[in-house]
Amino acid sequence: MTDLIRCLWGTNDPMMIDYHDHEWGKPVRDSRALWEKLMLDGFQAGLSWRIVLKKRDALRLAFCQFEPEKVAGFTEEDIERLMNNADIIRSRSKITAVIGNARAYLAMQQAGEDFGKWIWSQIGGKAIQHTGPVPTQNAMSERISKDLKKRGFKFVGPTIVYAWLEATGLINTHHPDCFRRAQVAKEA
């Protein structure tokens, strides 16, 4: 598979190549999966995605497979347990954000608002096929970030939101020559 043309960031490291080729940009509509990915993007703040990928399985285990109903019930004791877990990213602010974000996710659900349907409605229900230079944020990610923050979400700034939209296939930013671009466009 080395003869395939990929996005530049997904060409040098086997773990990143695998992520690029099988996950990144693939359209996700499942609410829980979208929420998990947003939480992982929050953990990336200030770090590389490679670090998050290396710790993803441990993060999933520590956060009950990112089941919002379970995470929302975490207590101060759970926060301390997580802060002592060397296998995960140990940032108190990120850990408490995930717990609060689980509660915000559930509040949306209790109000009859499906998280997946909500985010897809923000882009008109169909993935955006981006062309040209790829920004780190845009007016849309700023608007979605503000909406999430109004709902009580944390670690959802416009840059994190833009990365999340790319990773979950709401915006296809695969390079025009990348073999995944057309595949992802079809899946959208």
Side-chain angles (χ1 to χ4, degrees):
M1 288 230 277
T2 54
D3 57 336
L4 294 174
I5 297 173
R6 293 179 173 85
C7 298
L8 286 177
W9 63 264
T11 58
N12 293 326
D13 175 284
M15 184 171 45
M16 294 299 282
I17 291 169
D18 185 64
Y19 177 68
H20 172 273
D21 291 0
H22 299 104
E23 290 184 63
W24 190 74
K26 185 175 182 160
V28 177
R29 292 192 181 266
D30 177 75
S31 292
R32 197 224 45 87
L34 283 160
W35 181 76
E36 173 184 336
K37 183 63 177 76
L38 182 59
M39 298 307 95
L40 291 172
D41 277 323
F43 271 111
Q44 182 189 358
L47 303 171
S48 74
W49 184 246
R50 188 176 195 295
I51 291 170
V52 176
L53 278 180
K54 283 178 73 173
K55 294 185 177 276
R56 180 167 61 173
D57 288 341
L59 286 162
R60 284 176 171 158
L61 184 62
F63 286 94
C64 303
Q65 303 304 312
F66 287 99
E67 291 295 336
E69 297 81 5
K70 293 178 181 175
V71 176
F74 279 18
T75 64
E76 189 59 41
E77 189 175 287
D78 292 304
I79 294 169
E80 290 309 315
R81 172 183 53 81
L82 294 169
M83 287 298 296
N84 290 311
N85 183 343
D87 295 331
I88 69 168
I89 296 163
R90 294 182 287 178
S91 162
R92 183 174 294 277
S93 58
K94 292 176 183 180
I95 290 168
T96 58
V98 171
I99 297 165
N101 291 347
R103 294 172 184 154
Y105 173 95
L106 292 175
M108 286 179 73
Q109 198 175 59
Q110 289 164 356
E113 203 166 14
D114 180 82
F115 190 71
K117 287 179 183 171
W118 169 79
I119 190 55
W120 279 92
S121 75
Q122 301 301 304
I123 64 161
K126 187 173 180 190
I128 296 166
Q129 303 303 309
H130 180 82
T131 57
V134 179
T136 57
Q137 60 181 301
N138 65 8
M140 179 179 55
S141 71
E142 289 174 15
R143 178 179 45 77
I144 292 169
S145 170
K146 284 179 186 174
D147 193 351
L148 286 166
K149 288 176 183 178
K150 266 199 255 179
R151 296 166 183 274
F153 284 81
K154 305 276 188 241
F155 274 91
V156 291
T159 300
I160 289 171
V161 167
Y162 196 85
W164 173 58
L165 297 172
E166 289 178 289
T168 56
L170 281 91
I171 301 174
N172 183 357
T173 58
H174 278 281
H175 188 276
D177 297 330
C178 176
F179 84 99
R180 285 289 289 149
R181 183 171 181 87
Q183 292 173 352
V184 167
K186 274 187 196 174
E187 293 173 20

